[in-house]
Amino acid sequence: MYEGNVMQAMVLNKIKTQLDWTMLPDRQPGAGQVRVKVAACGVCRTDLHVVDGELAHPHVPIIPGHEIVGRIDAIGPGVEGLTMGERVGIPWLGHTCGTCIYCQMQRENLCDHPIFTGYMRDGGFATSTIADARFAFPLGEAGSDVSMAPLLCAGLIGWRSLGIAGDGKRLGLYGFGAAAHIVAQVARWQGRSVFGFTRPGDVDTQAFARSLGASWAGGSDEMPPEPLDAAIIFAPVGDLVPLALKAVRKGGRVVCAGIHMSDIPRFSYSLLWEERALLSVANLTRQDGIDFLRQAPAMGIVMETKIYPLEKANQALSDLRAGRFHGAAVLVP
Ligand SMILES: [Zn+2]
Ligand SMILES: [Zn+2]
């Protein structure tokens, strides 16, 4: 046992193994940092990529989790604009350098020297976490901690993807997990029509997509009833790229929203011809967070969540991997 205060965390000690329930000494925020008592932390597909060692710079031991909602319980020197007890959200982008060309051109999502929460710095699968104060978004008091957590990644990356997909009215969503279930509702709020694509034969998830306002839902091997203006691919499946290109009209966009994807198969140039565009979305900027979180309360997003106690993080990850729930999993300490 440790003297003084302690925190509990689910720690990944070795790639491709279970997280370990661990007691650690409480941490103190450094200059420019805050300590946050975690109230809820969403479970994201990227956490699976971290556990599986599929990202470029696997780093262990690490506490995963980058959809953190909690309250500030210690403030380091030099922090301005945040107060003790304030509710904040901590996203995937945990730090940027501020000096590289990408930071200087307002594209800090592409920063050359970023720190990502729950991947390069300990995240929110814990009772407490340390964050860079500049990357802690004040959340106000509207909405429950659990329902806010998935906004911090699924919502934010979805929001950025939606912007990059353009203004087209007919939007296809491939892979109907946590992000798509939020984006479908945001797109409906924006007045777009949503077309949901799931694994072929997954009628259950297709019904879920329709319940969130999709005007059509079917298998990823099907063509939508009308050509799409844009499609966003959330599933980490490269085979979906040519299928989505086939489903969009001339000049349409296909946006890959995941951080990792299996190889894209060879496809005929005719699928890309006629100014169809294939793009990826990486991370987020603080401005994305400010824009999205300011408008989110008005969007009427109904969050479908499955709540797990923190110590059941392994169960949550395996249920996510197997697709055993709809919407988003959220850990509660
Ligand atoms: Zn930078
Ligand atoms: Zn994420």
Side-chain angles (χ1 to χ4, degrees):
M1 288 297 294
Y2 296 103
E3 301 282 324
N5 293 333
V6 294
M7 61 179 271
Q8 278 101 33
M10 292 298 285
V11 180
L12 178 70
N13 284 300
K14 190 163 176 279
I15 296 298
K16 288 187 176 150
T17 62
Q18 300 264 300
L19 309 185
D20 298 316
W21 176 252
T22 309
M23 202 169 283
L24 297 162
D26 224 349
R27 299 169 180 183
Q28 294 304 318
Q33 296 180 328
V34 290
R35 188 177 66 201
V36 174
K37 187 175 190 308
V38 178
C41 185
V43 181
C44 173
R45 183 160 291 281
T46 300
D47 297 316
L48 288 180
H49 299 318
V50 168
V51 170
D52 292 343
E54 288 173 326
L55 305 186
H57 308 286
H59 171 89
V60 285
I62 189 81
I63 302 169
H66 57 271
E67 296 182 314
I68 307 168
V69 174
R71 289 186 185 274
I72 295 176
D73 78 343
I75 299 181
V79 173
E80 285 173 16
L82 294 171
T83 53
M84 288 290 284
E86 185 168 6
R87 188 167 74 154
V88 292
I90 298 158
W92 170 247
L93 186 67
H95 176 85
T96 54
C97 75
T99 56
C100 75
I101 55 165
Y102 299 103
C103 283
Q104 290 190 7
M105 64 167 88
Q106 273 74 57
R107 297 184 74 180
E108 68 177 353
N109 59 309
L110 302 177
C111 176
D112 279 335
H113 307 285
I115 296 176
F116 297 115
T117 310
Y119 168 40
M120 302 164 84
R121 164 196 282 162
D122 283 336
F125 289 8
T127 54
S128 176
T129 193
I130 301 284
D132 183 326
R134 298 171 306 146
F135 292 80
F137 298 118
L139 292 180
E141 295 296 331
S144 73
D145 298 329
V146 165
S147 69
M148 298 294 279
L151 296 181
L152 270 305
C153 183
L156 262 171
I157 300 291
W159 174 252
R160 186 171 177 83
S161 307
L162 205 46
I164 288 179
D167 296 329
K169 288 278 180 249
R170 290 164 303 186
L171 177 75
L173 301 176
Y174 285 78
F176 225 88
H181 111 281
I182 298 171
V183 171
Q185 298 180 67
V186 176
R188 293 289 299 128
W189 176 77
Q190 292 175 327
R192 308 191 201 217
S193 303
V194 171
F195 300 78
F197 296 83
T198 70
R199 285 195 189 95
D202 187 356
V203 290
D204 197 33
T205 304
Q206 289 161 18
F208 179 59
R210 280 190 288 268
S211 78
L212 296 171
S215 43
W216 176 91
S220 56
D221 55 345
E222 295 177 49
M223 281 295 112
E226 46 192 326
L228 305 173
D229 296 313
I232 305 174
I233 303 177
F234 291 109
V237 181
D239 296 290
L240 294 173
V241 169
L243 293 171
L245 281 169
K246 207 177 283 183
V248 299
R249 61 162 171 78
K250 291 184 273 190
R253 293 186 185 180
V254 173
V255 179
C256 302
I259 192 169
H260 173 82
M261 191 180 240
S262 58
D263 285 354
I264 299 170
R266 291 169 67 122
F267 58 87
S268 161
Y269 176 60
S270 62
L271 293 181
L272 190 61
W273 167 240
E274 294 166 326
E275 302 196 346
R276 289 174 183 86
L278 177 61
L279 304 138
S280 69
V281 164
N283 315 316
L284 67 142
T285 64
R286 275 172 283 177
Q287 195 58 47
D288 293 328
I290 291 162
D291 292 345
F292 177 60
L293 294 169
R294 188 185 55 223
Q295 296 177 76
M299 295 176 187
I301 298 167
V302 178
M303 198 69 72
E304 173 98 4
T305 50
K306 181 144 177 22
I307 299 173
Y308 296 83
L310 173 60
E311 62 269 29
K312 296 279 191 234
N314 290 308
Q315 186 65 48
L317 288 167
S318 79
D319 287 352
L320 172 61
R321 194 186 293 281
R324 286 194 203 100
F325 56 82
H326 284 143
V330 179
L331 302 180
V332 174

